[in-house]
């Protein structure tokens, strides 16, 4: 027979699992953003005299209606599908910035990273593997270059 205590325990276990999922996805998002930021280091130092990337800044935001609210990854919460969603804002200078919505979902030992402009999500392992974010970063950079207005 199912008791009230059984229901409370199941609810508590679900809350713990969701908190663990959120923590895992935040760690992956943090590693992805660091890899993305590092990919610009060389380019930011070697651009032409226009200094297009002179003030490169990468920030995270959450969407509230039509507004983007700056936030730290740690303050994000899972959505109704248990995904971690945020907007990656790449600010090149005072007049050029590009927003890229990102959705991370946990599926066992893998994380799915969906970008607004890609047909299929990128599937990456949770375990540390050298260059595991390379394809995702490359897709974001390609997208940026296709929509970046001319200087």
């Amino acid at each position: 027979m199912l008791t009230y205590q059984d229901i409370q325990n199941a609810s508590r276990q679900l809350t713990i699992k969701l908190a663990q999922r959120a923590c895992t996805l935040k760690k992956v998002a943090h590693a992805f953003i660091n890899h993305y930021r590092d990919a610009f280091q060389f380019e930011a130092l070697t651009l032409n005299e226009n200094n297009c990337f002179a003030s490169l800044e990468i920030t995270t935001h959450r969407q509230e209606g039509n507004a983007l609210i700056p936030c730290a990854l740690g303050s994000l919460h899972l959505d109704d599908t248990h995904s971690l969603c945020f907007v990656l804002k790449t600010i090149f200078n005072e007049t050029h910035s590009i927003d890229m919505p990102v959705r991370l979902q946990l599926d066992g030992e893998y994380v799915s990273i969906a970008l607004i402009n890609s047909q299929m999500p990128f599937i990456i392992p949770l375990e540390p593997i050298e260059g595991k974010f390379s394809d995702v970063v490359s897709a974001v950079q390609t997208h940026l270059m296709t929509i970046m207005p001319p200087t």
Side-chain angles (χ1 to χ4, degrees):
M1 169 184 280
L2 189 63
T3 66
Y4 179 71
Q5 185 66 33
D6 293 334
I7 295 170
Q8 278 188 317
N9 287 340
S11 176
R12 207 171 300 124
Q13 288 301 316
L14 179 59
T15 300
I16 290 169
K17 285 190 182 289
L18 289 176
Q20 290 169 335
R21 175 182 295 253
C23 183
T24 298
L25 290 174
K26 288 175 187 180
K27 285 181 191 177
V28 170
H30 185 265
F32 162 62
I33 292 168
N34 282 340
H35 190 89
Y36 176 67
R37 183 178 286 116
D38 290 348
F40 280 104
Q41 293 304 317
F42 178 76
E43 294 175 33
L45 295 173
T46 59
L47 287 177
N48 62 27
E49 64 277 356
N50 292 335
N51 289 329
C52 184
F53 298 127
S55 60
L56 180 70
E57 184 179 354
I58 298 167
T59 59
T60 53
H61 296 73
R62 69 178 184 275
Q63 186 105 27
E64 286 188 12
N66 291 331
L68 288 180
I69 310 299
C71 67
L73 284 175
S75 69
L76 293 173
H77 301 285
L78 298 181
D79 68 7
D80 294 340
T81 65
H82 307 298
S83 301
L84 186 69
C85 300
F86 60 94
V87 176
L88 186 65
K89 182 182 260 313
T90 306
I91 304 165
F92 297 102
N93 57 34
E94 304 81 35
T95 59
H96 295 95
S97 70
I98 297 175
D99 302 334
M100 173 68 72
V102 180
R103 173 185 296 270
L104 281 75
Q105 291 181 302
L106 185 62
D107 185 16
E109 296 297 313
Y110 298 92
V111 174
S112 166
I113 302 178
L115 305 173
I116 191 70
N117 69 322
S118 62
Q119 298 287 336
M120 296 289 294
F122 296 88
I123 308 299
I124 61 162
L126 282 175
E127 68 219 29
I129 294 176
E130 182 75 27
K132 71 180 179 180
F133 296 109
S134 296
D135 289 342
V136 187
V137 168
S138 180
V140 173
Q141 289 180 325
T142 299
H143 178 69
L144 292 177
M145 292 312 189
T146 61
I147 63 173
M148 184 78 172
T151 56

